């Protein structure tokens, strides 16, 4: 298909279930206020774990969105996805009926899927035997079920799939949904990421990989992207969903428009299972490809929502990648890590960070990087330390990188008719 036949893709609805709020408004207000969603874990007894802190979703009531019977047959990661999707659809004013259902699809990424169900059923298996395992174990835990259940609960019958690319999964999902609408395979897509991996086995595994912060005595200051005293990421949970819609379709029904998605870059480091390339070369190419895809020049970029995990390896290599890709412009733009407030949602992070980026463009406001007191040597960009900032944003990027060397950058623009 020639470029002239590609459709413009706009964002018409947003939904968020996060450690700092369970609605779009609460999430955005929390980001602007620098609200910290990280504290000691309450979901399980973590007293024997090396890491005992996390960004848990608080006060989430799945029954506001799903019947009790249906909710009991979903893992928490699917509950988050369905809830955030229903929020986004309502925000978009999108009515899905028998006439348009085949034109509306779902693309939702996750890193690990229904890990809680898997752990619980393993315990039942060991203690009570194989015959006591739930017949719903497999459909509850498999990673594609967030997308499948979202379709069941919204009626969307169009393209439906799931990206499973570790911590890049949510951004991959938004990027793939963008492609489907851009090329005319769907009029609208429900897209984003979801995760609920604050579980005992998950924490044991990530801690053994020495990826998690161990600042257990000071959880509020544990997630500190780009700071010299950072010591690892803090796990978060939740979901972020965007309604991506063909521009003509959105205009025809009078939808409000938050912004436009114009570029999607995807690469692999082909280097190491967990570590990025030391010079951030794979991330650099992802940024460059997103710019090229969107027909953008580096000097048009105003803001980067960084992957910014607060791990020793990520923050310096991401900084190098931004500088290599954007050149001198890197020192003129604002960069921030919203993970400093939410923690790292793994496959859900790309979803809530795409929501944050869309809101930043719509409101010309940049969320802060909290807990940034003294940047590490080499982390020399403007990371919007500790307080949000007003800033005119025409173009913004959102980075996500995952174990396995997955690199994704999404490019957004302010909407102009």
């Amino acid at each position: 298909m020639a470029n002239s036949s590609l459709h413009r893709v706009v964002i018409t609805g947003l939904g968020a279930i996060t450690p700092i709020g369970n609605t779009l408004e609460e999430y955005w207000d929390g980001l602007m206020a620098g609200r910290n969603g990280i504290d000691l874990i309450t979901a399980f007894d973590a007293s024997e774990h090396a890491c005992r802190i996390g960004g848990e979703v608080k006060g989430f009531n799945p029954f506001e969105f799903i019947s009790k019977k249906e909710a009991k047959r979903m893992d928490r990661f699917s509950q988050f996805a369905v809830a955030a999707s229903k929020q986004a659809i309502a925000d978009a004013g999108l009515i899905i009926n028998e006439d348009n259902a085949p034109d509306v699809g779902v693309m939702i990424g996750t890193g690990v899927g229904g890990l809680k169900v898997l752990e619980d059923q393993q315990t039942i298996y060991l203690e009570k035997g194989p015959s006591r395992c739930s017949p719903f174990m497999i459909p509850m835990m498999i990673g594609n079920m967030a997308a499948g259940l979202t379709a069941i609960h919204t009626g969307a019958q169009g393209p439906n799939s799931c990206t499973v690319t570790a911590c890049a999964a949510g951004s991959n999902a938004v990027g793939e949904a963008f492609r489907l609408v851009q090329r005319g395979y769907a009029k609208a897509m429900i897209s984003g990421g979801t995760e609920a991996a604050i579980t005992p086995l998950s924490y044991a595994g990530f801690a053994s990989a020495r990826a998690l912060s161990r600042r257990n005595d000071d959880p509020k200051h544990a997630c500190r992207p780009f700071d010299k005293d950072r010591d690892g990421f803090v796990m978060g949970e939740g979901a972020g969903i965007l309604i991506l819609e063909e521009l003509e379709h959105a205009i025809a029904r009078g939808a409000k428009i938050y912004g436009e998605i114009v570029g999607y870059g995807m690469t692999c480091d082909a280097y190491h299972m967990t570590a990025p390339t030391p010079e951030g070369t794979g991330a650099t190419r992802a940024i460059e490809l997103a710019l090229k895809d969107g027909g953008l020049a580096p000097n048009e970029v105003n803001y980067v929502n960084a992957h910014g995990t607060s791990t020793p390896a990520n923050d310096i290599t991401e900084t190098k990648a931004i500088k290599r890709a954007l050149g001198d412009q890197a020192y003129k733009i604002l960069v921030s890590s919203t993970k400093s407030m939410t923690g790292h949602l793994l496959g859900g992070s790309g979803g809530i960070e795409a929501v944050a980026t869309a809101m930043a463009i719509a409101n010309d406001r940049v969320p802060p990087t909290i807990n940034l007191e003294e940047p590490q040597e080499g982390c020399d960009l403007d990371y919007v330390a500790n307080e949000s900032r007003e800033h005119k944003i025409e173009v913004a990027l959102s980075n996500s990188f995952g174990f396995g060397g997955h690199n994704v950058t999404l490019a957004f623009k302010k909407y102009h008719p």
Side-chain angles (χ1 to χ4, degrees):
M1 181 176 287
N3 285 341
S4 60
S5 62
L6 297 179
H7 299 285
R8 291 175 67 182
V9 183
V10 293
I11 302 161
T12 56
L14 300 170
I17 304 291
T18 79
I20 59 172
N22 296 336
T23 66
L24 174 64
E25 291 74 20
E26 289 177 359
Y27 174 50
W28 180 244
D29 289 348
L31 291 178
M32 289 298 97
R35 185 180 305 147
N36 196 325
I38 294 165
D39 212 329
L40 294 172
I41 291 172
T42 63
F44 63 92
D45 179 3
S47 58
E48 295 185 1
H49 284 256
C51 176
R52 300 188 289 277
I53 55 180
E56 294 178 316
V57 168
K58 296 97 176 162
F60 173 66
N61 180 6
F63 309 138
E64 292 180 8
F65 306 92
I66 313 158
S67 73
K68 288 186 178 181
K69 180 180 179 180
E70 291 169 315
K72 288 179 180 178
R73 295 177 177 177
M74 292 185 189
D75 187 275
R76 188 170 167 88
F77 90 108
S78 291
Q79 293 177 354
F80 288 157
V82 172
S85 295
K86 288 189 174 182
Q87 287 182 6
I89 291 168
D91 184 44
L94 180 63
I95 306 297
I96 303 174
N97 53 38
E98 61 181 15
D99 293 328
N100 67 3
D103 293 323
V104 182
V106 183
M107 185 74 72
I108 297 177
T110 182
V112 296
L115 204 54
K116 178 67 164 57
V117 165
L118 178 62
E119 292 181 28
D120 290 347
Q121 292 297 311
Q122 171 75 352
T123 299
I124 291 172
Y125 170 77
L126 293 174
E127 293 179 350
K128 299 181 180 179
S131 65
R132 298 295 298 274
C133 287
S134 168
F136 294 101
M137 179 186 74
I138 299 300
M140 288 174 72
M141 61 167 278
I142 53 179
N144 64 301
M145 199 49 67
L149 286 166
T150 296
I152 291 169
H153 284 266
T154 62
Q157 299 174 358
N160 191 302
S161 192
C162 165
T163 51
V164 185
T165 47
C167 305
S171 290
N172 268 129
V174 174
E176 295 302 314
F178 162 61
R179 288 276 185 260
L180 289 168
V181 177
Q182 184 187 45
R183 284 162 169 71
Y185 293 102
K187 298 291 187 186
M189 291 292 294
I190 303 163
S191 66
T194 185
E195 206 76 85
I198 299 181
T199 67
L201 190 60
S202 169
Y203 262 63
F206 278 106
S208 292
R210 305 194 70 80
L212 297 176
S213 170
R214 303 192 181 198
R215 197 185 290 257
N216 298 308
D217 58 347
D218 188 16
K220 294 296 184 186
H221 298 95
C223 193
R224 42 195 319 113
F226 307 107
D227 190 271
K228 72 178 182 62
D229 289 331
R230 69 194 188 284
D231 70 333
F233 81 80
V234 178
M235 185 93 73
E237 62 175 359
I241 298 293
L242 302 86
I243 305 300
L244 304 187
E245 192 166 348
E246 183 184 288
L247 174 61
E248 296 82 358
H249 189 267
I251 291 175
R253 65 183 191 83
K256 69 175 181 294
I257 295 174
Y258 287 97
E260 188 169 0
I261 178 168
V262 296
Y264 172 35
M266 173 173 57
T267 68
C268 185
D269 288 344
Y271 171 72
H272 189 275
M273 289 176 67
T274 58
T277 56
E279 295 302 313
T281 51
T284 301
R285 289 189 299 114
I287 296 170
E288 291 172 341
L289 288 171
L291 293 176
K292 182 179 180 182
D293 190 39
L296 300 167
N299 63 7
E300 294 181 85
V301 179
N302 310 113
Y303 169 55
V304 175
N305 186 291
H307 188 54
T309 53
S310 183
T311 58
N314 175 87
D315 298 354
I316 185 69
T317 56
E318 183 173 13
T319 296
K320 291 178 180 178
I322 293 170
K323 291 193 286 190
R324 288 166 69 107
L326 301 184
D328 292 342
Q329 181 68 9
Y331 294 96
K332 302 173 184 175
I333 63 173
L334 304 191
V335 178
S336 68
S337 171
T338 44
K339 287 186 178 73
S340 60
M341 293 168 274
T342 64
H344 187 359
L345 276 61
L346 308 182
S349 63
I352 66 167
E353 289 160 19
V355 170
T357 307
M359 288 293 285
I361 287 180
N363 293 281
D364 288 322
R365 296 277 301 181
V366 174
T369 306
I370 67 168
N371 296 326
L372 179 53
E373 297 170 359
E374 185 175 345
Q376 182 198 349
E377 184 179 353
C379 290
D380 53 356
L381 301 178
D382 185 349
Y383 302 107
V384 194
N386 300 309
E387 292 187 3
S388 63
R389 206 180 299 174
E390 289 188 16
H391 190 68
K392 185 71 172 177
I393 304 173
E394 287 289 332
V395 174
L397 307 178
S398 181
N399 288 336
S400 292
F401 313 130
F403 282 180
H406 303 289
N407 306 296
V408 177
T409 297
L410 301 170
F412 301 84
K413 284 180 73 173
K414 191 180 291 293
Y415 171 66
H416 296 290

